[in-house]
Amino acid sequence: MKRIVSLLAAMLILVACALPCFAETPGLTGAQVVSTRTETLDSGIVRTTTVYEYPVAARASTRRGSVHQELKYQGKLIASIYLNATFSYNGSTATATSASSSHSVASGWSYSGESVWCSGATAHLTATVSGLAKLPIDLTLTCSPSGVLS
């Protein structure tokens, strides 16, 4: 009987350790905030845009980062949009090598017309969030020749 109780206790501990304690925001592990800007639109929607940089190998000539935009109306989150990008740089030039995106919207709102692309040293995302208002989304993430994201 003691063995069964010990075995069940051990299994319970293993299961508890395997469960996450909290949900982590996708892609933000180890991220460093580069900048944050908040503005209130004429519609009363508050738009917060944050640029993140992710750690890479110390001597690597690449940078990984993202731009996260949150839209809130009356204190409630209505949309969350990420533009993620990887850049290479060498001190004299920089190039956006890949870009991807993710998004979520609250009930009653929609997200449409998304386009994601790289051009030179900049990653771009355009889309539209619609609900009580129609909001054009235009996100960019740029890398300088020295590897600074903005």
Side-chain angles (χ1 to χ4, degrees):
M1 183 66 159
K2 286 184 180 181
R3 281 188 172 178
I4 293 173
V5 170
S6 295
L7 184 60
L8 287 174
M11 289 175 64
L12 182 61
I13 290 170
L14 286 174
V15 169
C17 290
L19 295 175
C21 295
F22 57 91
E24 192 172 291
T25 304
L28 295 182
T29 303
Q32 176 182 340
V33 174
V34 174
S35 65
T36 299
R37 184 180 75 242
T38 300
E39 58 188 318
T40 302
L41 307 177
D42 291 340
S43 59
I45 293 172
V46 176
R47 177 170 47 197
T48 302
T49 306
T50 305
V51 175
Y52 295 95
E53 183 176 329
Y54 305 105
V56 293
R59 301 187 81 179
S61 59
T62 61
R63 286 285 183 263
R64 289 185 328 122
S66 66
V67 178
H68 176 218
Q69 191 165 93
E70 279 189 346
L71 302 171
K72 291 184 178 181
Y73 183 68
Q74 297 180 342
K76 295 180 183 176
L77 183 65
I78 57 172
S80 175
I81 303 139
Y82 285 92
L83 169 62
N84 309 299
T86 302
F87 302 88
S88 63
Y89 67 98
N90 62 17
S92 59
T93 62
T95 304
T97 56
S98 67
S100 63
S101 68
S102 62
H103 70 274
S104 62
V105 293
S107 177
W109 292 81
S110 65
Y111 182 86
S112 62
E114 181 185 79
S115 182
V116 176
W117 73 98
C118 295
S119 176
T122 303
H124 302 267
L125 178 149
T126 59
T128 302
V129 172
S130 302
L132 296 174
K134 190 172 187 177
L135 304 166
I137 306 298
D138 187 5
L139 299 178
T140 59
L141 184 60
T142 301
C143 183
S144 74
S146 59
V148 177
L149 297 181
S150 59

